[in-house]
Amino acid sequence: MTTNTFVAGSGFLYRMDPRAKIMAMLLICVLLFLAITLEGLYATVVLLILVGSVNTGLRHTGRTFKSILPMLLFMALFMPFNVRSGQSLVSIGSFTLITREGALQAARLGGRFIGITYACTLLFATTPMTDVMLALRWYRLPYKASLVVTLSFTYIPFIADSFTQISESHRLREGGELEKRRSVFKRLRDLLPTLTSALVVALRSIPYLAMSLEQRGFGRSEKRTSYHSLDSYRHGFTDFVISLTIPIVFWLTFRAR
Amino acid sequence: MNCPAKGGKELCLEVRALSFTYHSWKEAKNTPVLTGVDLCLEQGSRTLLLAPFDRGKSTLARIISGLCPKYLPGVLEGSVHVCGKDLAHTEPWQLLLDCGYVSQNPQEQFVALSVEDEVAFPLESLGLGREEIARRVDTALTNWGLQDLRSSSQQELSGGERKRVLLALQQAVNPRLWVLDESFDDLDRSWREYLTTLIREGEGTTLVLASRYLEQFEDLFDRYALLEGGKVRFGAKAEILHLFSVLCGDGLANPLKGQKLSKNVEHTLVCSDLVTVRTRVSTLEARPFRLSVPHFTITSGDLITLVGPNGSGKSTFSRLLCGLDEPRGGSFTLDGKKMGARDLNRSVGYLFQNPDLQIFLPTVREELSWSLKRRKDLSPDQVTAMVGECAALFGLDLEETPSTMSYPLRKALQAAVYYLLDRPFYILDELDNALTYSVALSIIALLRRNGAGILLITHDRTFASLVGESTYAIEAGVLESI
């Protein structure tokens, strides 16, 4: 009922202390929303993509980008029309279609979206979920809250997995040359039952997840122990320094004046 | 007498006058699943409870584990005591050391993200020290042959491997009562033998619920019972087996013997020099899985069985054969013509091990008509007639909601969906799980009646002998005819 987001590897990010990684992730997300230049924003994004490619491989990095591509296209198509004021870039007669400000805002939003996606993906792809949970508990988050956070992050890929399985099943049920030719609109409409089914599968699994957690003793009065520990991460201090330094250096270098 | 008089051994499970009716989401009330069940198990006893499908076996198991009606709402009457605890006042987590339940569908029980974490989770709940948890996890994983898979996620495991993880978890916790719902299904022969040994040599109490009498059950149990008409009936082994056999229709003729096929078409699907390699994304330690198929042929009307240990690649081969995955090397030809993945999608029907991955729509009618409605050669009236006829053949109610139907009925619906597609070939991945032989055989006969070639994946030798005319096996990553 949950899907693993971890991708095995041996890069430097895998050896980095998860507590420091969580801090780096949060600081980078904050940095993306601070008043920095567009160049600075995209420099951060490029750094994240590079780090991702070195650690989890080009394939995983590409797949992450592919998964957010529809959303990015949507932003690129519609965001520029939202801002009507400023220097006109594209116009039909006297009607301004796209302004410079609109295009810049779309670029900024797109950059933030890609940045946040990669920052989160890098954390969960290079850290086993049990270590993420231990790190959250180190930050004094109660066990139940940590469990909810980690379960949520594994539940989203589970819905994506269900969607793939249902699409595969539909593929096997197609009629081939006997099948009616379907327009693009109809094909898009056909996605709806698949999406609905994936959501239904996900919703149906919730009571089973709760059932299994209780069966495994979740809720008992004994103090819960932990099979794993964060002792194997040996360079905690250095990792914290790196996690603090990079976002601060980026902010100092690229802050808007 | 289902409950021995007090004064004998201490009772581990005491069920008295138990009745249960599922909550109905429609106007009409549901019929009771269990009515006045009395069931008492003495400490250390080993009991086999047989029941044909859809008779309340899994419901009973969930009630004993404290999960029903808490999570599956319904009206419960009577009393259930597990190791002296009254379940009316006990939460499931309080039963961790008293009752361990292994579900028929292992997927629904996974909570952690790796095999070792799954086994460690309840031990952490018990508050055990790290060394003790590590020792128990290691022992259980070694015993169940899961050491190489310890960091794998459940998505990367086969059905049999998932079952082994849940059984390893039971072994690590070692509760006083083990409730095993169809736990021998999905396991290959060697792991069935291991489970048999574990039950035989264990000091705890075991309740095995099954819808088939397997060869491994011979001389394993000291009590035999039958669940029929909502009641549990104990008796001598011979008596219970006879009654069960009658209920399951074992005396009925095998519909595959001498079956007349209605279509006289002849198709041959050939796979040559197939190679596929799969890596596990969750671990760097495991070697990549490699499967090669030098030659495989299936012709219309064929009944072929495919056997192999858990995780040997049976489902991987099935995915290649129906075009869901593409091989790294090799080719497929149908009647001499080269086939791509899309052609295979339309020529080979693949009934997944888990029917829930293939049925999604709100009613049986919609599920059956989904593909037919998309065909240009059929009018709405023809679709209605075909759907009605198919539902009657498979014993399905068109207005029923698939998600609330029993597991075997969902399997029947999954088969009915493919029957309407009229594919030249079908792969049936462990169709016999949780079905009686007679029901599984009749489903195969229906799918084959238009001349389809059948490839059946099964771990049950008896069932394989009833079906297969020829057999392929996967050993050490190579699929060959035996």
Side-chain angles (χ1 to χ4, degrees), chain B residues 120-155:
Chain B
F121 194 96
L123 305 175
E124 292 174 328
S125 302
L126 288 170
L128 299 180
R130 192 168 292 146
E131 285 77 28
E132 177 62 11
I133 296 179
R135 190 188 64 75
R136 289 204 202 183
V137 168
D138 279 343
T139 311
L141 294 186
T142 307
N143 289 345
W144 284 97
L146 295 163
Q147 279 289 13
D148 288 346
L149 303 171
R150 61 186 303 150
S151 13
S152 299
S153 67
Q154 66 122 338
Q155 280 77 24

Side-chain angles (χ1 to χ4, degrees), chain B residues 299-338:
Chain B
T299 305
S300 299
D302 273 357
L303 288 166
I304 299 175
T305 50
L306 174 60
V307 295
N310 292 141
S312 60
K314 300 183 294 295
S315 299
T316 304
F317 174 63
S318 306
R319 288 181 64 87
L320 293 175
L321 195 59
C322 69
L324 281 181
D325 291 338
E326 294 209 38
R328 192 173 273 195
S331 64
F332 295 93
T333 56
L334 179 67
D335 304 329
K337 201 176 136 199
K338 213 161 179 186

Side-chain angles (χ1 to χ4, degrees), chain B residues 270-276 290-297 317 320 329-332 472-481:
Chain B
V270 179
C271 319
S272 312
D273 305 318
L274 290 188
V275 177
T276 188
R290 189 185 161 90
L291 175 71
S292 66
V293 185
H295 187 82
F296 173 84
T297 307
F317 174 63
L320 293 175
S331 64
F332 295 93
Y472 280 81
I474 302 180
E475 288 217 30
V478 182
L479 185 142
E480 280 174 322
S481 171

